[in-house]
Amino acid sequence: MKQMEHVSAPDPPALPAFGRALWRYRGQRGALIPLLQSAQETYGYIPKQAIYEIAGVTGIPPAEVYGVVTFYAQFRLEPQGRYVIRLCTGTACHVNGAPMLEETIEEVLGLKRGETDGERLFTLESVACIGCCSLSPVIMVNDETFGKLDARKLRRLLKRFKKAARQEERG
Amino acid sequence: MRSFKVGTSTCGVSAGADKVLERLLSLAAESDGAPVAVSETGCIGMCYREPLVEVVDGPERVLYAEMTPEAAERLYRGATRDELEAHVLIEGESGDRDGFLLEQHRIALVNCGHIDPADLDDYLAQDGYAGYRKAVTAMTPEEVVAEIELSGLRGRGGGGFPTGLKWKLSRASAADTKYIVCNADEGDPGAFMDRSLLEGDPHGVLEGMAIAGYAIGACEGHIYIRAEYPRAIRRLEAAIEQATARGLLGRGVFGGEIDFEVHIKQGAGAFVCGEETALIASMEGRRGMPRFRPPYPAERGLFDKPTNINNVETFANVPWIVRNGGAAFAALGTPKSKGTKVFALAGKVVRGGLVEVPMGMTINRLVLGIGGGVREGGRFKAVQLGGPSGGCIPASLGDTPIDYDQLTATGAIMGSGGLVVMDDSTCMVDVARYFLSFTQSESCGKCTFCRIGTKRMLEILEAICAGGGREGDIERLETLGRQISAASLCGLGQTAPNPVLTTIRYFRDEYEAHIRDKRCPAHVCPSLVSYSISEAACTGCGACIKVCPVDAITGRRKELHVLDAEACIRCGRCYTTCQFDAIIKD
Ligand SMILES: Cc1cc2nc3c(=O)[nH]c(=O)nc-3n(C[C@H](O)[C@H](O)[C@H](O)COP(=O)(O)O)c2cc1C
Ligand code: SF4
């Protein structure tokens, strides 16, 4: 269960894309989830004030909106890292070594599932199945897929991304 | 004109098909020679040899496998087939060299990997929307329902409920508004049939929905699709737009009185939302919790209106049945399971991918024949069917035919089509633990037995895998499993114990080895393996010393290293680091 830790995070600026979504879905039945998806697409996560704004236009109490947010795995209450690593935990990846990949990620980046590091460089997520089982075990880094991994290849890959992330952070 | 077709489904793109496509498109844009057509197509199912490129040159057709941008460029610039001999997979009308397609029978997948899913004309050229036209112009809704009943089609989403009967019930519900819902939530974490269908042949599914709409009297269809399938969503959006522009969907289809509009709803990542009543709750914008049935959705569904919910693959079979007649479909398969079934073949199998076979084929034929057996010389141990709701069938029952009732008799289920092959390097206790941790975290929490019972089962399984198993654990798992099945509201809880119960049934000795001998026969459970160093293979490179977090390995450079078994915490880092296979796992 997600915690309401984001309460202390500073509010991001209001963005027009989300404002348009609020307008477009006004008064539509079943609009809550599309609105939350739009908020997340705009901000990268669901900021607190988006919950209040959605509650305002839909007439659904903020607590209920929050209940829907925490029910679905897709919604995040915190911003993510620069690189989002999605570890495929589908059945094929599991039998072909996903647990070993997970250990290696923890070893190299110090992240467990669902965590983001302090500098917001990396976030580790799991997905139920990316659907390229013949390449298992697989991870995705942002939009790119890396398949047929073993611990050694993964270590090399992670080190490369770590370096890239540090460089981008600096300049 | 020469044409190049690149398979750009998710599986192809993951393997690098987008780079191949990009290269071909830029070559085509630059060239001032003879025009060359470059297009995309869906997944032909041979995922194990992606990226795939089909080159059509006059009467010649060759499918090339494992393509790179460089190889594609060579082909484009006129390299002959012989120069790329190693890549050739299918030539002309003859079968593929791997024999992968030979025994398949394609109805749902007939267009996947052949047509350009982004081009409506390609679909129309394959009799696309002819089934819908026939239904609307030459048949009454009752006749359509009767044809589906005659076909013997059963729901492909896992339940296997007769589709014709469901349509009949939905048709009989009187209401001003009714809905068609296509369930594309595909939650089984080892399955990608529905995604491939939607990416490779979106119009096929839309046509099936439209026929259903006509048959039951619904003017509106919704596709509830996982947000994790962005490519399928894009293809569907494009397909809906094209079909609407041509008057095949939307208001007044075929210039007549019939309306059928289709909308897409994205799911938000909850396995339980595949269950039909939870799916409806989610579409209405609520937490996706199942409710008690009856009333069934056919009576009271979306926004309290009668709603006919079917799976993607179920709909994909419909146009074929209407075009060719229910009897032709019923001619395939076994007495109670008609037609074909699509499977996502994965795991420790040589040729993993998407297959469609006639019902009645044995598991052995599918795994050893079409799939080419087990990877890297392992021994075929079991298949897992139906994911978290299903079970494991041991290799000794490999003669079991693919048939709803005969598969159920083994303790597994047909499921939606996920088929994961396991060999002797797969630990069955670990597999059971894996599935249970999935269902446990996906339980919506409404029912006590599902919420807490699965937690207790998972704790026992985790203890067994960690070496803390006790006598009586197996019996405790069996009792809990029976109670959870009996006392859960929806299919998630009712079937959650299946992976555990079937592995106990067929692989009890593995559970006993974990519990009594503190041994994992497949060397998978980290706490139950021990590591040592092979004198013969160790070169004294020192790599393992560096990675060991507890300094359990010692030794000088270029000298044999020694592993202190007492200090070892069995993290396995030395094992995955050593380049010389000198760390022995036992
Ligand atoms: C926990 C759970 C998950 C389900 N997931 C799916 C799914 O992902 N896709 C699907 O088509 N049916 C799924 N079903 C089955 C649906 O409830 C429903 O029976 C099905 O969509 C009906 O379509 P069909 O008769 O064409 O199979 C699921 C059922 C349960 C209990
Ligand atoms: S069985 Fe489990 S998932 Fe289904 S309604 Fe009950 S608690 Fe929810």
Side-chain angles (χ1 to χ4, degrees), chain A residues 67 72-74 89-91 94 152, chain B residues 189 268-269 286-287 430 434 578:
Chain A
Y72 293 99
Q74 187 192 10
T89 53
T91 316
H94 181 79
R152 220 173 298 152
Chain B
R286 292 180 283 125
R287 289 165 74 99
D430 175 67
Y434 163 79
C578 181

Side-chain angles (χ1 to χ4, degrees), chain A residues 91 95, chain B residues 346-349 367 374 379-385 392 395 420-428 431 434-435 503:
Chain A
T91 316
V95 302
Chain B
K348 306 268 185 185
V349 66
V367 173
V374 171
R379 203 172 46 81
F380 175 33
K381 179 150 121 186
V383 293
Q384 209 285 345
L385 278 170
C392 289
V420 180
V421 178
M422 303 178 170
D423 70 0
D424 40 15
S425 68
T426 317
C427 169
M428 302 316 266
V431 166
Y434 163 79
F435 281 116
T503 46

Side-chain angles (χ1 to χ4, degrees), chain B residues 177-180 210 212-221 258-261 306:
Chain B
T177 309
K178 298 184 194 178
Y179 297 107
I180 297 289
Y214 174 71
I216 75 150
C219 304
E220 208 176 305
I258 309 281
D259 298 339
F260 193 71
E261 280 180 21

Side-chain angles (χ1 to χ4, degrees), chain B residues 242-257:
Chain B
Q242 288 171 358
T244 309
R246 295 277 188 100
L248 299 164
L249 291 179
R251 295 187 181 270
V253 295
F254 300 119
E257 311 262 280

